[in-house]
Amino acid sequence: MMQISPGSKRPLAILLSLAVGLALSGCAIRLIADYDEHVDKATTEIQRKVESFLIKLERSVGTPAADYSQHVALYDDVRVDLSALKVRASAIPKNSITVEQIDLVSDSWSKLEQLHKIGFKTREEIAPLRRNFNQAFTQILKLELAKKRGE
Amino acid sequence: MAIDASDVSQKMVQAAADSLKGKWPSIKDFAEAEFKHLAETLALIVRLKAEGKITEDQAKLHLDIQKNTTRMVLLTAEGLSLLVVETAINAALKVVRDTINTAIGFALI
């Protein structure tokens, strides 16, 4: 006879909920959200906007063109884009990982704005920022594309 | 004082591996590359601060952004692991679908 230790109750509960889910759905289980084309395209578009901005910033550090005051609208624009992306991602069931990733990149965007308000003295500061934002958007896209599940 | 990014990276990888134990193999590839970047960023922050090119507040903001990115990499690893588990469960259920559905008398699976 199968013994159930106290520590094994949680996995059992998960399996039971899966079984109930299967009975109700009559189809394959889903532990994570399905692929969403809008999240894919919007993330790619925001990455392009941010990378374009950082390349120009990298080139113009030390000139008036790099001043924060010249780029306030862009910070607001990207913030709106990220907010819209989060709303879309939040509406998809079992999408909490992607939503958390969007929260993190939004936080990074706010911190970039704080850095910019203080001012950049050297181009060397921009290189790791470009890498970080590219890596961040890559992570959202990597997971989103994997959600296609070989389709 | 300059720091050795490679040495810092190795120490972080070892600490993470010790901390995660059984889960480490599933995120090893993601984590090693990202800890290397984290170490490089830390070395750059230390150098720029020493050269007077950034302030303490700026150093903290740079590190916060890097930490967010590292967390995103690990979240992707978590999501990909869930997809692997999902595939395995569905494959297991698929091979017994006909048997179970016939036995229970309706399309349970």
Side-chain angles (χ1 to χ4, degrees):
Chain A
M1 186 177 155
M2 189 173 74
Q3 297 292 314
I4 299 173
S5 66
S8 66
K9 283 181 180 172
R10 191 160 178 265
L12 184 62
I14 292 170
L15 286 174
L16 285 172
S17 67
L18 286 175
V20 171
L22 281 169
L24 293 174
S25 65
C27 59
I29 65 157
R30 284 283 190 260
L31 298 180
I32 192 167
D34 285 326
Y35 166 77
D36 184 77
E37 188 179 0
H38 182 89
V39 169
D40 179 354
K41 286 185 175 174
T43 302
T44 303
E45 184 58 36
I46 300 169
Q47 183 277 330
R48 183 183 169 85
K49 199 179 284 186
V50 170
E51 174 69 349
S52 172
F53 163 64
L54 288 173
I55 286 173
K56 286 175 190 163
L57 189 61
E58 193 170 30
R59 192 177 296 143
S60 61
V61 165
T63 74
D67 289 350
Y68 170 72
S69 60
Q70 303 291 318
H71 303 281
V72 177
L74 188 276
Y75 280 103
D76 290 344
D77 187 28
V78 171
R79 190 166 286 111
V80 170
D81 287 347
L82 289 168
S83 174
L85 180 62
K86 183 183 175 182
V87 167
R88 172 76 185 197
S90 299
I92 302 168
K94 297 180 181 175
N95 211 22
S96 61
I97 291 178
T98 295
V99 171
E100 192 175 346
Q101 289 183 318
I102 296 166
D103 281 339
L104 287 166
V105 78
S106 298
D107 183 66
S108 290
W109 185 248
S110 295
K111 289 191 161 63
L112 172 65
E113 185 173 19
Q114 289 176 56
L115 278 170
H116 202 166
K117 280 178 182 173
I118 297 168
F120 295 111
K121 284 185 183 170
T122 169
R123 293 174 60 179
E124 284 182 288
E125 271 192 88
I126 311 298
L129 292 168
R130 280 183 61 199
R131 192 203 71 78
N132 271 303
F133 278 97
N134 280 330
Q135 176 74 306
F137 290 118
T138 297
Q139 295 313 305
I140 296 174
L141 288 172
K142 186 182 280 187
L143 182 57
E144 200 58 39
L145 294 174
K147 293 174 190 169
K148 284 184 171 179
R149 296 169 170 90
E151 291 164 16
Chain B
M1 186 183 82
I3 61 168
D4 180 349
S6 176
D7 180 54
V8 169
S9 174
Q10 284 176 13
K11 284 177 179 168
M12 287 193 293
V13 166
Q14 189 56 54
D18 291 345
S19 171
L20 292 168
K21 293 184 179 126
K23 291 181 181 174
W24 177 249
S26 63
I27 65 159
K28 182 174 179 288
D29 291 342
F30 288 90
E32 283 186 343
E34 192 51 33
F35 283 134
K36 182 171 178 286
H37 289 136
L38 176 54
E40 288 168 356
T41 300
L42 286 169
L44 179 65
I45 289 170
V46 168
R47 183 168 64 77
L48 292 176
K49 177 68 177 69
E51 292 172 356
K53 291 176 178 172
I54 60 171
T55 65
E56 191 176 316
D57 285 344
Q58 287 170 303
K60 287 177 181 172
L61 287 165
H62 275 289
L63 179 59
D64 283 345
I65 291 172
Q66 175 63 60
K67 278 160 53 178
N68 280 346
T69 304
T70 301
R71 212 169 138 197
M72 289 182 72
V73 170
L74 297 179
L75 281 168
T76 296
E78 182 185 335
L80 295 177
S81 296
L82 277 176
L83 283 165
V84 169
V85 171
E86 178 191 289
T87 301
I89 292 173
N90 283 327
L93 290 171
K94 189 178 177 183
V95 297
V96 298
R97 179 177 295 152
D98 289 345
T99 305
I100 298 298
N101 287 348
T102 300
I104 201 167
F106 70 98
L108 175 66
I109 299 175

